[in-house]
Every structure is written in C-alpha cells, then in structure tokens.
Amino acid sequence: MNESKFKIVNTNLKGRSLVANKVIAIDEVILEEAPFVCSQFSWNKAYGYLACENCMLPLETAEQNVRRLAFDPSIILPFPESDPVIHLQQKFVQCQECSLKFCSTECLEEAKFKYHSIMCHALKPNQPFDSINEIWKKMHYPPETTSLLLILRIFAMVKLQPEYLNVFGEFCDRSKNDDLRICHKILGKKFSEQLSNLHQALIQLFQGEEILSRFLTVEGFTQLFTMIGTNSQGIGTSPFANWVRNVSELQSLSEKQSKELDEFIDTVYATFDNTVGTFLNNEGSGLYVTQSKINHSCKPNAEIRFPFSNSKLQVVALREIKPDEEICISYLDECQLDRSRYSRQKYLQENYLFLCDCEKCQEEVSQADETSDDDVNDGDDNMDTDDD
Ligand SMILES: [Zn+2]
Ligand SMILES: [Zn+2]
Ligand SMILES: [Zn+2]
C-alpha cells in the first residue's frame, strides 16, 4: 500500500521529504508503519501505566485504568464488552524469566528475537540496566520526551544483530545545525553535567563491546541522543479512551442512556483533571524508518494516528493532497501550533534543529518576534532540574 501513494525525494533545503504520487483524499491513510524500535518512557512505566513491553498495547482493562487514574477502586464501568482489552486478556503472557508482560506470545517472541534476550535479566531491580535507568529518571522528569530505555533497547538490538546498524543511516543524523549555530536543547549547557554522568555510566556498562564503541565516544553518544530527539515520534495508548470511542459508537442506546453515559464520561475526565492532570496515557516514543522522513509544517496536510492502540502508526491526510505536493505533519502539538511564529520557530529550532519556513510561517513573516503569552513558563519544561 505504502509505495504507490508517495515517493521519497531528496532536496538540498530540507533533506529527505515525502511527496504525494497521486491525489490523496481527505482522511485517506497515506502509510501504515510499525516502529523500528520503540519503548515506553521510564517514568510512565514506573508510575504503573501498564503496556505491552514490545508494542505498547494497554494491558489494563479500561475499568482498572480508570480506578488507578482516579484513585478510586469503587468505580464500575458500564458496557464492559466495549473494552477491547477484555477480549484480548486471555492472550496476555509474561516472560518466564523476568515477569515483564506482553500482549501475546507473538510479541514476546518478537521482543526476544530483537532485544529482550539481552535485556531480560539486566532490567531487574538493582541490575545494571535498572541502575542506569534510575540515573536517567533523576535527570528527566515528566513530561518525558525521550527515553533511555529506547537507547538501551537499541544497544541490545545492535548486539544481537549488528546489521541493524545500517538502519540508522535511514534517520536524519545531525546533532547541530552549523548554519543556524544551534545545538539540540537536550544537549545544551544546562544538562551537560547530567549527560556526562549518564555517558560515563553507559561506558562502564558496555565497556569492551566492540560493536557499540561508536556510540560510546562523546561524539557518538551526542549524535545518538540527538538522532533520537529529532527523529522519534511520541506514542500514546489509553484503555479508557478506547472504551470511550467504542461506547460512543454504540447504536442500541436510548437517548436517556446516551445522556447518562456522556455525563459519566465527563465526570471521569473531570476527576482525572484533579488526580493525574494530563498524564492519562501509556506514553513512549519510537523510531519509524519512513515516517521519520516526513517534514514539519505549522499548517500540516497530514497527521499521525494510532488506531490500533499500539505502536503501529498511520499517517492520515487532513485535506486533499495533490500529486507532487509535499506531505507534512506537525512536530508541535495543538497548543504549540496556536502560538506565535516566534514561539513555534524557537521550539522547532531547539528541539528539531531547523528554522521553519512553512506556508504559515511565511504568512506571518511580518509578525513581531514575540513570545506567546502562554510561553512564560516554557523555559525548560521538558527537562526540569533543581537549578531552575
Ligand atoms: Zn504487544
Ligand atoms: Zn524476560
Ligand atoms: Zn512553520
């Protein structure tokens, strides 16, 4: 399906881009892709957001999910048959050695084949991977943007199958943009000491691993970190949201039932506001070989969706796309997209190392270089540290 709808082209200005091959209709799926590698965020996992270790499919029922997030074990969810997890539960398995949970035997086998046979023991409490993950958690508080677990998984994959190294060539690989004299935010001055501690810990852990040596020099480590920062895609899955979507589609409800259901859902979300705020999803990030080549626009013609409740994504057209038109997604969330041109460009430069020159940015070229009002606390919200 993928190949016929778009082509990958190289341009001097943007590097690789995806360009439509034919007319793509609104809501049409442009491509569907499973990640090369993905992982749940460290804190998300530590807080008990339960997802398949391999594909991030939720492993909690919607009811368990609501009870946990609302801190209320008495909540009963109506229409339990609308919860997809209930129907999948009998397929869930645990790794017999480390007890980590997977959505199916297939996922466990795939994980073992790709990385888990190495990570299995090293991730147990007080084992090497766990210790380094603790260092990471102390330097990277929620909201999380990248994951050390992703790096460890990449190392394990390369150790098991060195040919994976070739796949890294597929991702945009620049740790700084010399033209713009900017450096990736996470590698800025503020985090240099913490990153250096993390780097030292990784060196100790993987000493003598010839195949990984290229990642363990200061330069290689910096590059890997930035490559993940600039190429990775956030992944979010939610058992409750899946249940909400399914019950909203129920045809058999009376008007009264529908109204009660809507009120129930509103109450649950209002409760979440007071308990966990916006931290509703099982969250992580992944690297996708083709999707990572899609450039950003502040007025995108496509968006990323996760319709399977796992890490497999779809790129879907937001409007009709004409042949030879570039396919663009937004690297900014909806709130960020509403900000001023200056704020958007600042964020994109710091996190993705480019100066946006999209249609919207061009339209707003006469706008003053001012920060949006809601940017006041935007300083370093991804990476809060004590010296704030
Ligand atoms: Zn799975
Ligand atoms: Zn295991
Ligand atoms: Zn723009």
Side-chain angles (χ1 to χ4, degrees):
M1 171 184 77
N2 288 352
E3 297 310 312
S4 61
K5 294 189 182 175
F6 61 84
K7 56 189 176 228
I8 294 163
V9 298
N10 276 297
T11 60
N12 288 337
L13 206 60
K14 290 191 184 176
R16 284 168 292 197
S17 355
L18 252 67
V19 169
N21 247 344
K22 60 187 244 332
V23 179
I24 298 171
I26 182 168
D27 281 332
E28 189 173 331
V29 177
I30 304 168
L31 82 99
E32 208 166 275
E33 191 176 23
F36 165 60
V37 56
C38 77
S39 175
Q40 195 175 354
F41 291 141
S42 301
W43 277 111
N44 194 262
K45 197 178 180 131
Y47 279 132
Y49 288 72
L50 202 60
C52 170
E53 188 64 17
N54 187 52
C55 76
M56 287 192 61
L57 188 95
L59 299 181
E60 272 179 327
T61 64
E63 187 171 84
Q64 288 167 336
N65 183 243
V66 171
R67 289 176 173 186
R68 185 171 56 77
L69 297 179
F71 302 126
D72 182 355
S74 69
I75 295 177
I76 291 169
L77 227 55
F79 308 106
E81 66 287 351
S82 292
D83 176 2
V85 174
I86 294 215
H87 308 285
L88 298 170
Q89 253 175 337
Q90 68 264 33
K91 293 174 85 184
F92 294 174
V93 290
Q94 267 183 315
C95 171
Q96 302 227 307
E97 280 129 277
C98 69
S99 313
L100 282 178
K101 296 186 172 74
F102 295 82
C103 73
S104 62
T105 311
E106 292 78 13
C107 252
L108 171 60
E109 291 305 320
E110 184 185 278
K112 277 188 174 166
F113 177 75
K114 276 175 87 174
Y115 55 85
H116 187 70
S117 51
I118 284 184
M119 300 188 80
C120 189
H121 294 285
L123 265 173
K124 285 180 180 168
N126 304 317
Q127 291 297 309
F129 281 18
D130 180 64
S131 312
I132 201 168
N133 195 34
E134 291 304 311
I135 299 179
W136 169 254
K137 273 158 60 188
K138 287 196 183 89
M139 65 175 280
H140 192 62
Y141 293 101
E144 294 170 276
T145 51
T146 186
S147 170
L148 179 76
L149 293 173
L150 197 68
I151 294 182
L152 294 176
R153 199 164 279 189
I154 288 170
F155 282 8
M157 283 166 70
V158 171
K159 257 186 85 168
L160 277 171
Q161 296 183 65
E163 55 272 31
Y164 280 134
L165 281 174
N166 301 330
V167 182
F168 287 106
E170 294 281 338
F171 298 105
C172 160
D173 198 7
R174 58 177 181 190
S175 52
K176 56 187 190 324
N177 183 326
D178 289 330
D179 302 337
L180 294 170
R181 293 171 197 279
I182 49 178
C183 166
H184 194 254
K185 183 175 178 176
I186 205 168
L187 298 165
K189 216 171 167 187
K190 192 169 172 182
F191 304 105
S192 60
E193 195 184 324
Q194 290 156 309
L195 270 171
S196 146
N197 290 343
L198 185 68
H199 183 211
Q200 289 308 320
L202 277 171
I203 290 177
Q204 271 185 7
L205 201 57
F206 294 100
Q207 226 163 24
E209 303 276 3
E210 205 40 54
I211 189 76
L212 296 174
S213 57
R214 64 181 258 186
F215 295 124
L216 297 175
T217 62
V218 173
E219 196 182 44
F221 177 68
T222 307
Q223 257 178 14
L224 177 66
F225 228 89
T226 319
M227 186 276 283
I228 292 173
T230 53
N231 287 273
S232 63
Q233 166 66 43
I235 302 164
T237 63
S238 157
F240 183 63
N242 291 338
W243 175 86
V244 169
R245 195 176 54 225
N246 285 352
V247 291
S248 309
E249 285 166 8
L250 287 176
Q251 302 291 332
S252 55
L253 302 186
S254 68
E255 206 170 306
K256 183 168 172 276
Q257 277 178 313
S258 290
K259 194 165 167 274
E260 281 170 1
L261 191 60
D262 286 346
E263 281 168 7
F264 174 78
I265 293 168
D266 288 346
T267 314
V268 170
Y269 276 120
T271 311
F272 288 167
D273 262 346
N274 294 322
T275 53
V276 289
T278 51
F279 296 100
L280 299 174
N281 296 339
N282 298 333
E283 285 182 7
S285 65
L287 290 171
Y288 297 80
V289 173
T290 306
Q291 178 265 349
S292 70
K293 298 181 175 72
I294 305 180
N295 289 315
H296 163 88
S297 166
C298 301
K299 205 172 173 179
N301 54 17
E303 70 173 11
I304 305 296
R305 291 184 195 163
F306 291 96
F308 311 105
S309 298
N310 59 22
S311 56
K312 189 181 208 180
L313 63 72
Q314 279 184 343
V315 179
V316 183
L318 290 171
R319 58 170 171 78
E320 189 183 276
I321 303 175
K322 304 211 157 39
D324 293 325
E325 193 181 338
E326 183 178 0
I327 296 161
C328 289
I329 54 174
S330 170
Y331 299 172
L332 305 173
D333 64 30
E334 271 173 47
C335 292
Q336 290 168 325
L337 273 183
D338 284 337
R339 291 180 177 179
S340 69
R341 174 178 183 266
Y342 175 78
S343 300
R344 298 194 309 270
Q345 292 193 336
K346 179 169 174 275
Y347 182 90
L348 291 165
Q349 282 195 47
E350 286 176 348
N351 291 279
Y352 296 96
L353 307 174
F354 71 94
L355 184 65
C356 190
D357 190 33
C358 73
E359 196 188 330
K360 187 170 169 183
C361 286
Q362 285 180 14
E363 280 165 19
E364 294 175 358
V365 75
S366 57
Q367 217 175 59
D369 279 353
E370 272 170 12
T371 324
S372 305
D373 291 344
D374 51 353
D375 274 356
V376 177
N377 295 319
D378 186 43
D380 278 301
D381 50 0
N382 308 328
M383 296 280 289
D384 253 347
T385 54
D386 294 333
D387 59 1
D388 257 354

